[in-house]
Amino acid sequence: MTAATHSPLFPRVPDSADAVLEGLDPEQREVATALRGPVCVLAGAGTGKTRAITHRIAYGVRAGILQPSSVLAVTFTNRAAGEMRGRLRQLGAQGVQARTFHSAALRQLQYFWPKAIGGSLPRLVDRKIQLVADAAAACRVRLDRGELRDVTAEIEWSKVTQTVPADYASAAVKAGRDIPRDPAEIAQLYSAYEDVKRQRGVIDFEDVLLLTVAVLQDRADIAEQVRAQYQHFVVDEYQDVSPLQQRLLELWLGERDDLCVVGDASQTIYSFTGATPDHLLDFRTRHPGATVVKLVRDYRSTPQVVHLANGLLSQASGRAADHRLELVSQRDPGPEPGYTEYPDEPAEAEGAARRIRELLDAGVPAAEIAVLFRTNAQSETYEQALADLGIPYQLRGAERFFDRPEVRKAGVALRGAARFGGNDTLLEDAVDLPSQVRAVLSGEGWTPQPPAGSGAVRERWESLAALVGLAQDFAAAQPGASLADLVAELDERANAQHAPTVQGVTLASLHSAKGLEWDVVFLVGVAEGMMPITYARTDEQIEEERRLLYVGVTRARERLHVSWALSRSPGGRPSRRPSRFLDGLRPGSGAAVGRAAGGGPGGIERGFTGTATGAPLVRRRTQRTPARCRVCGRTLTDAGEMKLMRCEDCPSDMDEGLYERLRDWRAVQARRAGQPAFCVFTDKTLMAIAETVPDEEGELARIPGVGVRKFNRYGADVLAICAGHDVGGDDEEG
C-alpha cells in the first residue's frame, strides 16, 4: 500500500521551492502554483492528487507565500491526515495543520468553549449505540442489535444534514432514505437520544461539528480569531463533504476565497452518511472566478485496468456520471483483468488463496496483494482460506497502528533499550540497528517466522513485524543511525499517524479500501445481490454501487482478478449470476454500450465570460466578490438565495409569465433528455432568470446555476424566450 506515485520511504528533502515542483506533470504543477483565489481540482483515481496538493502546500511554504501556521488542510480519515502530514514533513513543510474535519473542530471547540460557553467542554462519547439503546428503553421501544445500528445511522445522518427530530420524517422521505422503522418512531428515538445526552452531560462526534458551527455563527469575535489564524484552506476528498461540514468550511472562510478543493464525483461512495458531490460539482457556481484543474493522467494502473474502470463509468447515469473523467494510463501495458466463476463461496475463497500462494511463491510481496469485498461479513471465509495455506494477512478497518497495545508496548521497550541499551544482555550480539530492533522485539513476541493460524496472536505478530521492516528500511536510508534515531522517527510517525506497511495480504471492504492501492487486487463476490447489494433499489443507490465497484477496480496497479460464486454454500442451488455492472465488459457478455465522458479531458480552465453569439462560453480567472442581495444589500450565504441574488423574504420583481414559459420549455427539454426537470434548470435558477430577464449572453452567464455546460446547451433558447420569441413548445423531435 503506497500513495498514487511511488517514492522512497525516506526521500531527501527538496533543497528549494523550485525543487518541490520537480517531477510534477503540467496539471499537477498548475495545482501546485495556483496559490491564490478559489481552485477546484477534479482528480481521477490514481492521478496523483495527494502529491499535487501536498506539493502545492509545500511550494507555497518554501517560497514564502504561505505561512505554515496559517494553512489548514482537512480530509476525512485520520489515516489520510497522517499521510498528508508525513508527506509535508518529507517536503520540508513542517508546521502545517493537516487534520480531519472533526479533529480540527474539536481542537477549536476545546480552546474556545470556556470563553464562549463557560466551564469545560462536555465529555465526548466514542460510541453512541449504548445511548441509543437507553433512549429506546426510555421510549419503551425494543430494538435488536441490527435495529440499534440502523437507528444510530439515521441519527447520524440527521445531524450531519442539520435535520432536527421534528423534521426527520419529512426529510428522510424527501431524501429517499431506506428507513428501518416507522419515521415517527425514529424521530421520537432521536429526540430521546438528545435528551439522554443532555441529562448525562455528554456530546457525540456530530455535536463537535454542530457546536463549532454554533459558536462561530453566534460569536463574531471568535470567528474572526479563527479566520486570523487560518487564511488558506485545502480540502481533500471534497465529494464526501456533508452539508454540516460545508457550513463549517464556509464559517472558517468568511468572506475570503483562498480555498483549494480536490475531489472526484465518480468516487462518491458515502452518500448514506450524508456526503454529497453537489458541493464539488457546484463549486464554480459559488466561485465563478475559480481555476479548475482536471487530473486524468493515471500513474497507478495499467492501460488494461484503466480500460475496465472507464468502461464501468461509461455505462453510468446521473449527475456524477455527467462529470466523470476519462482516465489515461501512463503505465506500460500489463495483463488483462481475469474473470473467474466458482460454484460456491468457499470454493471462491479457496481459489483466491491458491492464486495468492502462487503469487507469493513467485516473489510478489504479501503487502502488495489485497482481497476486497462488499461487506465485512465476507471476511471470515477468506481469513480461513488464507490461514489454511499459511498466508499472512491483515484486516483493514482495525484500530490505528500506533494505538495498538502491542505497538505502544514495543515503543516503550525500544525507548528503554535506546536509553539503557549498554546494560541490556539482549543487545550483546546485535551488530546493527535492525538486529537491535529484532532483539528487543523478540521479548515482546516477535519471531522470525509468523505463528500458525489467524486471530489476535497473528495480528500482534504482524504489527511487530511491521516495526522490524521499518527499522530495516530506516537503516538502509540512513547508514549509521542509532536506536535513539529510530525511536525519534517512530515518535514523529506516531504524531503524524504515518504508519509503516504491514507485511501481509490485506483483507478489506470496498469502503475501507478507498485511498489505498496494491499491485494485485482480488475483487470477490461480484455477483447480483452483493454488487449491487440487495437493498440498493433506487437508481441513485444502484449508481453508488457502480461507483463502489469502480473504486475497487482502480485500487489495482498491475493485476486484477474479478470473481463470483453461483451459490452461497457447497451443494446449494446455483441461482446467482455475475453483476450487471460487468455486462459488456467481461468476455462473453456482449458489447459494452457506453457514452463519452462528461468531464472532458484533463487540463486547466479559468474564470468565465460571455462570448459572441453562437460561440461557446469560455473561462478566465476573475476576482471573486461576496454575493449580496440586490434588494437589501445583505451578504448571501444560502445556496438558494445566491441563485436568486436576493434574500428569500425580500420582494420579488419576477415576470410571472416568463417564469411559466420557462417552466413549460424546461418540461419539454427534460422529457427529451429522459431526465428530471431540475437537471435542466432548478426552480430557483428559473426564478432568477425570470427576475433578471437577461437580454445578452454575459448577463445570462452571470446567473448562478447556469454554468458553462448549461449555457452552451440551453443559452440560445433561454435568451430567445426572454426576448419573447417562440422556441417551440411541443414535445415533437425534429
Side-chain angles (χ1 to χ4, degrees):
M1 296 171 294
T2 65
T5 49
H6 291 271
S7 61
L9 188 60
F10 299 96
R12 186 186 302 275
V13 174
D15 57 11
S16 67
D18 287 343
V20 172
L21 302 177
E22 291 176 2
L24 300 182
D25 68 31
E27 292 79 27
Q28 291 172 342
R29 182 178 285 256
E30 177 68 19
V31 174
T33 55
L35 293 170
R36 296 298 185 197
V39 178
C40 178
V41 184
L42 301 176
T47 57
K49 70 176 178 64
T50 306
R51 176 180 173 84
I53 58 175
T54 51
H55 281 67
R56 178 182 199 270
I57 295 169
Y59 175 73
V61 168
R62 299 290 299 275
I65 299 170
L66 304 176
Q67 291 299 314
S69 60
S70 73
V71 180
L72 178 59
V74 287
T75 187
F76 285 81
T77 66
N78 287 306
R79 181 195 57 77
E83 180 187 352
M84 193 176 290
R85 287 192 293 269
R87 290 199 188 198
L88 290 170
R89 182 164 66 92
Q90 292 168 352
L91 291 169
Q94 291 91 340
V96 173
Q97 292 293 316
R99 297 180 174 274
T100 64
F101 271 100
H102 282 88
S103 172
L106 180 59
R107 196 171 188 224
Q108 293 174 15
L109 200 58
Q110 289 170 329
Y111 183 81
F112 290 112
W113 187 269
K115 178 179 179 180
I117 310 298
S120 57
L121 183 69
R123 180 173 64 87
L124 178 63
V125 292
D126 289 333
R127 298 177 70 248
K128 57 174 69 69
I129 200 161
Q130 184 57 54
L131 294 178
V132 176
D134 294 343
C139 296
R140 298 182 178 178
V141 174
R142 294 178 62 86
L143 299 175
D144 62 29
R145 193 171 191 80
E147 290 172 324
L148 268 176
R149 284 197 302 268
D150 290 342
V151 171
T152 300
E154 288 306 294
I155 291 173
E156 291 173 346
W157 173 81
S158 299
K159 298 182 80 164
V160 301
T161 56
Q162 302 176 83
T163 302
V164 298
D167 296 336
Y168 168 77
S170 59
V173 171
K174 183 178 180 181
R177 300 289 292 177
D178 188 10
I179 303 171
R181 296 177 75 94
D182 179 71
E185 189 174 60
I186 294 179
Q188 180 190 17
L189 292 170
Y190 177 15
S191 180
Y193 167 78
E194 294 298 315
D195 290 340
V196 169
K197 284 199 293 108
R198 279 192 292 271
Q199 292 162 9
R200 299 182 186 179
V202 298
I203 59 175
D204 61 27
F205 276 101
E206 289 72 41
D207 289 330
V208 170
L209 299 183
L210 285 163
L211 290 169
T212 306
V213 164
V215 168
L216 296 177
Q217 284 182 159
D218 295 344
R219 291 291 299 268
D221 57 329
I222 291 176
E224 287 308 314
Q225 195 172 339
V226 171
R227 292 166 192 162
Q229 168 72 48
Y230 296 117
Q231 289 140 28
H232 192 92
F233 296 85
V234 177
V235 185
D236 194 12
E237 304 289 3
Y238 194 54
Q239 77 279 351
D240 292 332
V241 165
S242 71
L244 180 56
Q245 290 164 331
Q246 175 65 20
R247 182 62 187 138
L248 177 59
L249 179 61
E250 290 167 354
L251 288 166
W252 282 340
L253 274 166
E255 298 293 332
R256 299 162 305 170
D257 64 0
D258 276 336
L259 169 66
C260 174
V261 301
V262 189
D264 179 9
S266 296
Q267 296 188 68
T268 304
I269 58 173
Y270 297 108
S271 65
F272 59 91
T273 68
T276 170
D278 289 346
H279 304 299
L280 174 69
L281 299 179
D282 291 338
F283 190 80
R284 283 201 290 197
T285 299
R286 298 191 311 277
H287 303 275
T291 294
V292 177
V293 184
K294 296 177 182 178
L295 304 182
V296 298
R297 302 175 202 246
D298 188 324
Y299 298 96
R300 175 188 298 159
S301 304
T302 63
Q304 287 75 13
V305 173
V306 167
H307 178 72
L308 176 57
N310 286 336
L312 272 174
L313 292 188
S314 73
Q315 302 179 51
S317 61
R319 193 177 184 210
D322 289 341
H323 293 80
R324 72 180 181 89
L325 299 168
E326 187 90 20
L327 299 178
V328 181
S329 176
Q330 306 297 298
R331 303 221 19 207
D332 291 334
E336 291 290 339
Y339 301 88
T340 309
E341 184 173 275
Y342 292 94
D344 52 65
E345 289 182 5
E348 185 179 8
E350 290 164 9
R354 283 195 302 273
R355 289 194 175 193
I356 291 170
R357 180 77 268 170
E358 292 168 1
L359 290 167
L360 296 178
D361 293 343
V364 178
E368 292 297 350
I369 303 173
V371 179
L372 307 182
F373 33 74
R374 176 61 180 84
T375 68
N376 287 316
Q378 295 168 269
S379 171
E380 186 177 355
T381 305
Y382 289 88
E383 290 181 59
Q384 189 60 57
L386 293 175
D388 288 346
L389 293 182
I391 297 172
Y393 68 86
Q394 62 161 332
L395 289 170
R396 287 295 307 176
E399 121 191 77
R400 292 189 295 177
F401 182 82
F402 288 104
D403 291 340
R404 298 175 187 174
E406 65 271 17
V407 174
R408 290 202 301 269
K409 282 187 64 182
V412 170
L414 290 169
R415 193 170 288 105
R419 188 174 300 172
F420 307 112
N423 301 319
D424 193 336
T425 56
L426 272 175
L427 301 182
E428 285 180 356
D429 298 325
V431 297
D432 56 17
L433 177 59
S435 59
Q436 288 176 336
V437 172
R438 288 194 293 269
V440 172
L441 296 187
S442 65
E444 301 299 320
W446 178 82
T447 56
Q449 296 299 320
S454 58
V457 173
R458 180 58 171 265
E459 289 176 15
R460 285 195 295 272
W461 184 89
E462 297 287 0
S463 297
L464 298 177
L467 292 175
V468 170
L470 180 67
Q472 293 168 338
D473 291 332
F474 188 67
Q478 299 191 24
S482 67
L483 197 53
D485 294 329
L486 176 65
V487 168
E489 173 67 21
L490 289 175
D491 287 342
E492 285 202 46
R493 282 173 165 261
N495 290 333
Q497 284 298 330
H498 185 193
T501 299
V502 175
Q503 289 302 319
V505 173
T506 300
L507 298 178
S509 70
L510 287 165
H511 281 101
S512 63
K514 177 85 162 53
L516 302 174
E517 60 186 73
W518 297 267
D519 284 346
V520 186
V521 168
F522 288 79
L523 284 176
V524 300
V526 188
E528 285 292 306
M530 195 60 74
M531 180 60 66
I533 199 78
T534 305
Y535 52 75
R537 299 185 183 93
T538 67
D539 290 344
E540 292 81 2
Q541 291 168 337
I542 296 294
E543 287 307 312
E544 181 144 339
E545 292 288 300
R546 186 194 305 275
R547 294 194 296 271
L548 191 57
L549 183 58
Y550 171 81
V551 166
V553 167
T554 55
R555 299 311 93 194
R557 293 196 201 104
E558 298 171 6
R559 304 182 212 186
L560 180 66
H561 300 271
V562 183
S563 64
W564 58 91
L566 297 178
S567 68
R568 180 174 183 180
S569 305
R573 188 164 63 89
S575 57
R576 294 178 176 174
R577 74 173 189 88
S579 169
R580 71 190 75 171
F581 299 146
L582 300 178
D583 291 348
L585 300 175
R586 63 183 177 87
S589 62
V593 179
R595 58 197 183 114
I604 302 150
E605 300 175 13
R606 313 175 191 277
F608 72 85
T609 184
T611 64
T613 302
L617 197 67
V618 296
R619 296 196 170 257
R620 60 175 172 80
R621 182 69 176 272
T622 60
Q623 183 63 36
R624 176 187 172 236
T625 57
R628 299 188 184 279
C629 174
R630 53 191 169 81
V631 180
C632 70
R634 182 178 70 84
T635 299
L636 304 175
T637 56
D638 177 78
E641 291 183 342
M642 289 170 70
K643 283 192 176 182
L644 292 175
M645 291 305 292
R646 64 170 174 81
C647 303
E648 194 80 45
D649 51 1
C650 278
S652 168
D653 53 357
M654 183 175 72
D655 183 333
E656 297 285 353
L658 174 57
Y659 178 66
E660 290 305 318
R661 292 196 300 277
L662 288 168
R663 281 175 59 88
D664 292 342
W665 165 84
R666 180 183 67 175
V668 172
Q669 298 301 319
R671 282 195 295 272
R672 287 176 177 172
Q675 294 180 323
F678 68 82
C679 291
V680 180
F681 285 120
T682 65
D683 286 344
K684 285 277 174 54
T685 301
L686 292 188
M687 290 173 67
I689 294 171
E691 289 181 356
T692 307
V693 194
D695 58 8
E696 53 93 22
E697 293 174 340
E699 196 174 0
L700 174 61
R702 284 190 290 272
I703 296 176
V706 175
V708 174
R709 187 170 58 85
K710 292 186 179 181
F711 179 93
N712 289 335
R713 186 169 183 179
Y714 303 123
D717 276 6
V718 171
L719 288 172
I721 294 169
C722 290
H725 301 308
D726 183 8
V727 297
D730 57 53
D731 201 11
E732 297 288 321
E733 292 287 352

PDB file of all heavy atoms in Angstrom, residues 119-134:
ATOM      1  N   GLY A 119     -16.929  27.123  31.631  1.00  0.00           N
ATOM      2  CA  GLY A 119     -16.687  25.778  32.131  1.00  0.00           C
ATOM      3  C   GLY A 119     -15.881  24.965  31.143  1.00  0.00           C
ATOM      4  O   GLY A 119     -15.284  25.495  30.199  1.00  0.00           O
ATOM      5  N   SER A 120     -15.859  23.650  31.334  1.00  0.00           N
ATOM      6  CA  SER A 120     -15.101  22.768  30.445  1.00  0.00           C
ATOM      7  C   SER A 120     -16.035  22.085  29.462  1.00  0.00           C
ATOM      8  O   SER A 120     -17.234  21.920  29.719  1.00  0.00           O
ATOM      9  CB  SER A 120     -14.342  21.709  31.263  1.00  0.00           C
ATOM     10  OG  SER A 120     -15.245  20.971  32.062  1.00  0.00           O
ATOM     11  N   LEU A 121     -15.475  21.678  28.338  1.00  0.00           N
ATOM     12  CA  LEU A 121     -16.254  21.020  27.289  1.00  0.00           C
ATOM     13  C   LEU A 121     -16.821  19.705  27.812  1.00  0.00           C
ATOM     14  O   LEU A 121     -16.119  18.943  28.478  1.00  0.00           O
ATOM     15  CB  LEU A 121     -15.344  20.754  26.080  1.00  0.00           C
ATOM     16  CG  LEU A 121     -15.996  20.136  24.840  1.00  0.00           C
ATOM     17  CD1 LEU A 121     -16.933  21.140  24.189  1.00  0.00           C
ATOM     18  CD2 LEU A 121     -14.921  19.691  23.842  1.00  0.00           C
ATOM     19  N   PRO A 122     -18.096  19.401  27.543  1.00  0.00           N
ATOM     20  CA  PRO A 122     -18.658  18.112  27.969  1.00  0.00           C
ATOM     21  C   PRO A 122     -17.849  16.942  27.418  1.00  0.00           C
ATOM     22  O   PRO A 122     -17.180  17.054  26.382  1.00  0.00           O
ATOM     23  CB  PRO A 122     -20.074  18.133  27.373  1.00  0.00           C
ATOM     24  CG  PRO A 122     -20.395  19.576  27.202  1.00  0.00           C
ATOM     25  CD  PRO A 122     -19.101  20.242  26.867  1.00  0.00           C
ATOM     26  N   ARG A 123     -17.939  15.810  28.088  1.00  0.00           N
ATOM     27  CA  ARG A 123     -17.193  14.621  27.679  1.00  0.00           C
ATOM     28  C   ARG A 123     -17.692  14.124  26.325  1.00  0.00           C
ATOM     29  O   ARG A 123     -18.885  14.086  26.060  1.00  0.00           O
ATOM     30  CB  ARG A 123     -17.351  13.526  28.739  1.00  0.00           C
ATOM     31  CG  ARG A 123     -16.600  12.229  28.411  1.00  0.00           C
ATOM     32  CD  ARG A 123     -16.659  11.246  29.563  1.00  0.00           C
ATOM     33  NE  ARG A 123     -18.029  10.810  29.824  1.00  0.00           N
ATOM     34  CZ  ARG A 123     -18.611   9.781  29.205  1.00  0.00           C
ATOM     35  NH1 ARG A 123     -17.959   9.109  28.265  1.00  0.00           N
ATOM     36  NH2 ARG A 123     -19.842   9.427  29.508  1.00  0.00           N
ATOM     37  N   LEU A 124     -16.743  13.736  25.477  1.00  0.00           N
ATOM     38  CA  LEU A 124     -17.063  13.220  24.145  1.00  0.00           C
ATOM     39  C   LEU A 124     -17.188  11.704  24.227  1.00  0.00           C
ATOM     40  O   LEU A 124     -16.257  11.022  24.676  1.00  0.00           O
ATOM     41  CB  LEU A 124     -15.958  13.605  23.159  1.00  0.00           C
ATOM     42  CG  LEU A 124     -16.086  13.119  21.717  1.00  0.00           C
ATOM     43  CD1 LEU A 124     -17.314  13.707  21.045  1.00  0.00           C
ATOM     44  CD2 LEU A 124     -14.825  13.461  20.919  1.00  0.00           C
ATOM     45  N   VAL A 125     -18.325  11.151  23.797  1.00  0.00           N
ATOM     46  CA  VAL A 125     -18.521   9.699  23.831  1.00  0.00           C
ATOM     47  C   VAL A 125     -17.999   9.090  22.535  1.00  0.00           C
ATOM     48  O   VAL A 125     -18.223   9.618  21.444  1.00  0.00           O
ATOM     49  CB  VAL A 125     -20.005   9.321  24.036  1.00  0.00           C
ATOM     50  CG1 VAL A 125     -20.465   9.718  25.429  1.00  0.00           C
ATOM     51  CG2 VAL A 125     -20.899   9.969  22.986  1.00  0.00           C
ATOM     52  N   ASP A 126     -17.286   7.976  22.666  1.00  0.00           N
ATOM     53  CA  ASP A 126     -16.716   7.313  21.491  1.00  0.00           C
ATOM     54  C   ASP A 126     -17.781   6.582  20.683  1.00  0.00           C
ATOM     55  O   ASP A 126     -17.757   6.575  19.459  1.00  0.00           O
ATOM     56  CB  ASP A 126     -15.635   6.313  21.912  1.00  0.00           C
ATOM     57  CG  ASP A 126     -14.386   7.014  22.416  1.00  0.00           C
ATOM     58  OD1 ASP A 126     -14.148   8.153  21.988  1.00  0.00           O
ATOM     59  OD2 ASP A 126     -13.670   6.430  23.246  1.00  0.00           O
ATOM     60  N   ARG A 127     -18.707   5.918  21.388  1.00  0.00           N
ATOM     61  CA  ARG A 127     -19.724   5.105  20.709  1.00  0.00           C
ATOM     62  C   ARG A 127     -21.088   5.511  21.228  1.00  0.00           C
ATOM     63  O   ARG A 127     -21.318   5.555  22.433  1.00  0.00           O
ATOM     64  CB  ARG A 127     -19.483   3.616  20.960  1.00  0.00           C
ATOM     65  CG  ARG A 127     -18.162   3.118  20.422  1.00  0.00           C
ATOM     66  CD  ARG A 127     -17.916   1.649  20.741  1.00  0.00           C
ATOM     67  NE  ARG A 127     -18.802   0.781  19.979  1.00  0.00           N
ATOM     68  CZ  ARG A 127     -19.776   0.054  20.511  1.00  0.00           C
ATOM     69  NH1 ARG A 127     -20.032   0.120  21.812  1.00  0.00           N
ATOM     70  NH2 ARG A 127     -20.512  -0.731  19.751  1.00  0.00           N
ATOM     71  N   LYS A 128     -22.002   5.789  20.308  1.00  0.00           N
ATOM     72  CA  LYS A 128     -23.310   6.278  20.721  1.00  0.00           C
ATOM     73  C   LYS A 128     -24.367   5.178  20.816  1.00  0.00           C
ATOM     74  O   LYS A 128     -25.479   5.420  21.248  1.00  0.00           O
ATOM     75  CB  LYS A 128     -23.787   7.384  19.776  1.00  0.00           C
ATOM     76  CG  LYS A 128     -23.869   6.989  18.317  1.00  0.00           C
ATOM     77  CD  LYS A 128     -24.495   8.093  17.466  1.00  0.00           C
ATOM     78  CE  LYS A 128     -23.633   9.310  17.329  1.00  0.00           C
ATOM     79  NZ  LYS A 128     -22.420   9.105  16.525  1.00  0.00           N
ATOM     80  N   ILE A 129     -24.020   3.938  20.439  1.00  0.00           N
ATOM     81  CA  ILE A 129     -25.040   2.896  20.339  1.00  0.00           C
ATOM     82  C   ILE A 129     -25.683   2.585  21.691  1.00  0.00           C
ATOM     83  O   ILE A 129     -26.875   2.310  21.774  1.00  0.00           O
ATOM     84  CB  ILE A 129     -24.461   1.631  19.675  1.00  0.00           C
ATOM     85  CG1 ILE A 129     -25.583   0.764  19.131  1.00  0.00           C
ATOM     86  CG2 ILE A 129     -23.536   0.875  20.612  1.00  0.00           C
ATOM     87  CD1 ILE A 129     -25.133  -0.247  18.084  1.00  0.00           C
ATOM     88  N   GLN A 130     -24.881   2.662  22.797  1.00  0.00           N
ATOM     89  CA  GLN A 130     -25.463   2.415  24.117  1.00  0.00           C
ATOM     90  C   GLN A 130     -26.429   3.522  24.498  1.00  0.00           C
ATOM     91  O   GLN A 130     -27.471   3.279  25.113  1.00  0.00           O
ATOM     92  CB  GLN A 130     -24.361   2.284  25.174  1.00  0.00           C
ATOM     93  CG  GLN A 130     -24.881   1.926  26.562  1.00  0.00           C
ATOM     94  CD  GLN A 130     -25.693   0.643  26.579  1.00  0.00           C
ATOM     95  OE1 GLN A 130     -25.223  -0.397  26.129  1.00  0.00           O
ATOM     96  NE2 GLN A 130     -26.928   0.711  27.073  1.00  0.00           N
ATOM     97  N   LEU A 131     -26.107   4.757  24.124  1.00  0.00           N
ATOM     98  CA  LEU A 131     -27.017   5.873  24.407  1.00  0.00           C
ATOM     99  C   LEU A 131     -28.322   5.712  23.626  1.00  0.00           C
ATOM    100  O   LEU A 131     -29.402   6.031  24.131  1.00  0.00           O
ATOM    101  CB  LEU A 131     -26.354   7.204  24.042  1.00  0.00           C
ATOM    102  CG  LEU A 131     -25.126   7.617  24.869  1.00  0.00           C
ATOM    103  CD1 LEU A 131     -24.569   8.926  24.349  1.00  0.00           C
ATOM    104  CD2 LEU A 131     -25.480   7.739  26.340  1.00  0.00           C
ATOM    105  N   VAL A 132     -28.214   5.213  22.389  1.00  0.00           N
ATOM    106  CA  VAL A 132     -29.422   4.961  21.595  1.00  0.00           C
ATOM    107  C   VAL A 132     -30.256   3.866  22.261  1.00  0.00           C
ATOM    108  O   VAL A 132     -31.493   3.949  22.319  1.00  0.00           O
ATOM    109  CB  VAL A 132     -29.057   4.575  20.147  1.00  0.00           C
ATOM    110  CG1 VAL A 132     -30.310   4.206  19.348  1.00  0.00           C
ATOM    111  CG2 VAL A 132     -28.317   5.721  19.451  1.00  0.00           C
ATOM    112  N   ALA A 133     -29.594   2.833  22.783  1.00  0.00           N
ATOM    113  CA  ALA A 133     -30.309   1.759  23.480  1.00  0.00           C
ATOM    114  C   ALA A 133     -31.028   2.300  24.711  1.00  0.00           C
ATOM    115  O   ALA A 133     -32.184   1.932  24.995  1.00  0.00           O
ATOM    116  CB  ALA A 133     -29.330   0.659  23.883  1.00  0.00           C
ATOM    117  N   ASP A 134     -30.370   3.194  25.443  1.00  0.00           N
ATOM    118  CA  ASP A 134     -31.001   3.789  26.632  1.00  0.00           C
ATOM    119  C   ASP A 134     -32.177   4.683  26.231  1.00  0.00           C
ATOM    120  O   ASP A 134     -33.198   4.723  26.927  1.00  0.00           O
ATOM    121  CB  ASP A 134     -29.973   4.596  27.422  1.00  0.00           C
ATOM    122  CG  ASP A 134     -28.886   3.710  28.020  1.00  0.00           C
ATOM    123  OD1 ASP A 134     -29.105   2.490  28.106  1.00  0.00           O
ATOM    124  OD2 ASP A 134     -27.825   4.247  28.391  1.00  0.00           O
TER     125      ASP A 134
END
